[in-house]
Amino acid sequence: MNQDFAPEVTAVLDGVRDLLPTVRDRAEEGERLRVIPDATIKELEETGFFRLLQPKRYGGLEADPVAFYTAVRDIASADGSTGWVSSVVGVHPWQVALFSDEAQQAVWGEDRTVRLSSSYAPTGKAVVAEGGFTLSGKWSFSSGSDHCAWVLLGGLVFNAEGQVVDFRTFLVPREKYQVVDVWNVVGLRGTGSNDIVVEETFIPEEFTLSMGETGQCRGPGQAVNTSDLYKLPFHSIFTSTIATPIIGMARGAYAEHVEMQQKRVRAAYLGEKASLDPFAAVRIARASSEIDAAWALLMNNIREEQAHVAKGEQPPLELRLRVRRDQVLGTARAIEAIDTLFEASGGRALAEGTYLQRAWRDAHAGRVHAANDPERALQMYGAQQFGHKVDPGMY
């Protein structure tokens, strides 16, 4: 059931759910192509999905982020790669809304359906120049880049003396970067998470965003995009974007496992019906609880942050650290559930074309994303509980 979302947002969620059988049917094609099929991107666009977090000023819906995460979860339950690309590409309008109005106009002024990919690890280099920065380098893992006309790139900023003076996100149009096809992997094969290469190019300051500002829940775009949506913490929104597809994969794995077990007869156990095995029932109960807990904690934390913003308050650091704590543990819970279900599904789950084996590969691939690094997030939460100073800019 949909929550109390605006009617136009509910219509998007309904449209997404109508697409799920088609998304699932195309999963094998995506794996073969190593990129989400164009038809799927087009159909998701037609539902309004990619406009959920886009400002109303540019034809977006400024939707409740919980609605966005719900749509992502459902898409990933049909295909992990499609869910992953939908999530990371779909969240970028939220960040663009924090950029200067000049940058927003450049992105959406002529085409409000423009999409953006990203790569935030600061593997490139930016040097301070008059009126902006000179950017160059190579960035990896830009999911969905083949379907996008702009890219958001993280970069350390150096002054003329070679000292690091800032960490910024750079908004770069397609004519200033190259997509290099390197994506040959065992999981999330359909995401097309290729490399981005930028030869030395000038980026005006208006097309950049300081991570120091976003860490304080600020951005120049808030002057024109005044919705509470754009006052939420960057790291809460973006790391939840990485956890949600994996939770969706777990839901899809659960549904397929239950369906398989209802039909399965275990030859090794004298023809016993798997559905009558009490141990199988226990595994299902445990897995479903882990999946539900992961989702509930993730969404409850976002709701708490929204409540603070609605009162004109910045979400406190302890809550933002809790978002990270429950996000990384939610990912772990979802993967543990997938592992449990996969191991209990029998040899038929190994067959190409089954959702279970693909979810198992996709979820473990998603686990290696930097946002899912559990030790760092958990250490920061624990350190803050002990009274140690934690940099709020990172959360």
Side-chain angles (χ1 to χ4, degrees):
M1 293 178 61
N2 294 332
Q3 301 184 39
D4 294 327
F5 300 130
E8 61 271 23
V9 174
T10 297
V12 173
L13 296 182
D14 290 341
V16 165
R17 287 170 184 145
D18 288 343
L19 278 181
L20 297 185
T22 301
V23 170
R24 181 165 180 147
D25 288 345
R26 290 196 185 121
E28 288 288 296
E29 181 184 0
E31 289 224 311
R32 177 175 54 81
L33 296 174
R34 298 178 296 114
V35 66
I36 305 305
D38 290 340
T40 297
I41 297 295
K42 182 177 185 295
E43 288 162 359
L44 284 170
E45 180 183 296
E46 289 170 349
T47 69
F49 169 80
F50 291 112
R51 295 187 294 111
L52 283 172
L53 300 184
Q54 192 162 312
K56 289 183 179 179
R57 299 169 60 245
Y58 290 106
L61 297 172
E62 290 185 10
D64 185 335
V66 172
F68 172 74
Y69 295 130
T70 299
V72 168
R73 180 199 67 185
D74 291 348
I75 296 167
S77 75
D79 174 46
S81 286
T82 305
W84 186 273
V85 169
S86 298
S87 195
V88 298
V89 172
V91 78
H92 291 146
W94 182 90
Q95 187 181 13
V96 174
L98 300 180
F99 277 76
S100 69
D101 192 37
E102 181 180 345
Q104 294 177 54
Q105 178 67 24
V107 173
W108 293 311
E110 295 183 3
D111 183 358
R112 295 181 173 187
T113 67
V114 164
R115 293 178 295 274
L116 306 92
S117 65
S118 66
S119 181
Y120 292 101
T123 53
K125 180 180 181 180
V127 178
V128 176
E130 185 177 354
F133 308 87
T134 301
L135 183 70
S136 61
K138 182 175 75 172
W139 289 257
S140 297
F141 312 120
S142 189
S143 300
S145 49
D146 284 345
H147 299 293
C148 298
W150 290 76
V151 68
L152 294 155
L153 299 174
L156 294 174
V157 179
F158 296 81
N159 62 17
E161 290 73 40
Q163 300 167 318
V164 175
V165 294
D166 201 355
F167 176 26
R168 287 182 174 256
T169 300
F170 296 84
L171 181 57
V172 186
R174 185 66 182 82
E175 62 268 19
K176 291 188 175 183
Y177 66 89
Q178 179 185 4
V179 178
V180 182
D181 186 353
V182 297
W183 194 243
N184 297 285
V185 291
V186 297
L188 293 175
R189 284 181 56 83
T191 62
S193 302
N194 288 308
D195 286 356
I196 302 294
V197 174
V198 176
E199 302 294 340
E200 191 169 292
T201 189
F202 177 74
I203 306 295
E205 185 168 1
E206 292 77 15
F207 286 68
T208 74
L209 193 63
S210 172
M211 296 303 286
E213 275 194 304
T214 55
Q216 300 172 47
C217 303
R218 293 192 293 113
Q222 290 174 344
V224 288
N225 298 318
T226 58
S227 167
D228 285 352
L229 170 64
Y230 304 113
K231 299 172 185 174
L232 292 166
F234 171 89
H235 289 90
S236 296
I237 293 294
F238 271 69
T239 58
S240 298
T241 295
I242 297 302
T244 296
I246 298 177
I247 296 172
M249 295 173 208
R251 285 170 63 94
Y254 176 84
E256 179 159 282
H257 174 79
V258 171
E259 182 180 355
M260 289 175 66
Q261 297 313 294
Q262 287 174 333
K263 302 173 183 177
R264 182 183 175 200
V265 175
R266 305 185 69 182
Y269 290 89
L270 303 177
E272 175 187 75
K273 290 184 177 180
S275 61
L276 300 178
D277 180 358
F279 301 109
V282 169
R283 294 187 195 101
I284 285 174
R286 288 187 181 279
S288 63
S289 179
E290 292 299 308
I291 297 166
D292 289 348
W295 178 249
L297 287 169
L298 204 67
M299 295 303 102
N300 180 68
N301 289 338
I302 295 295
R303 285 285 185 236
E304 285 199 38
E305 289 189 329
Q306 288 177 298
H308 281 282
V309 170
K311 292 186 289 186
E313 303 169 355
Q314 189 177 110
L317 178 59
E318 182 173 358
L319 174 55
R320 291 157 69 175
L321 289 168
R322 182 174 8 121
V323 170
R324 286 287 283 129
R325 178 198 72 183
D326 292 338
Q327 174 254 317
V328 295
L329 291 179
T331 295
R333 284 189 171 98
I335 293 175
E336 181 179 348
I338 292 172
D339 286 347
T340 296
L341 298 169
F342 183 63
E343 292 164 5
S345 290
R348 286 185 174 81
L350 297 171
E352 291 185 359
T354 65
Y355 182 93
L356 258 172
Q357 55 82 26
R358 191 165 53 248
W360 186 84
R361 290 186 286 111
D362 290 347
H364 281 276
R367 167 65 181 81
V368 304
H369 190 285
N372 286 325
D373 179 356
E375 288 80 13
R376 189 174 298 275
L378 298 179
Q379 185 273 330
M380 289 293 184
Y381 179 85
Q384 199 269 347
Q385 294 296 301
F386 282 135
H388 300 313
K389 187 176 180 180
V390 175
D391 179 9
M394 295 300 295
Y395 292 94

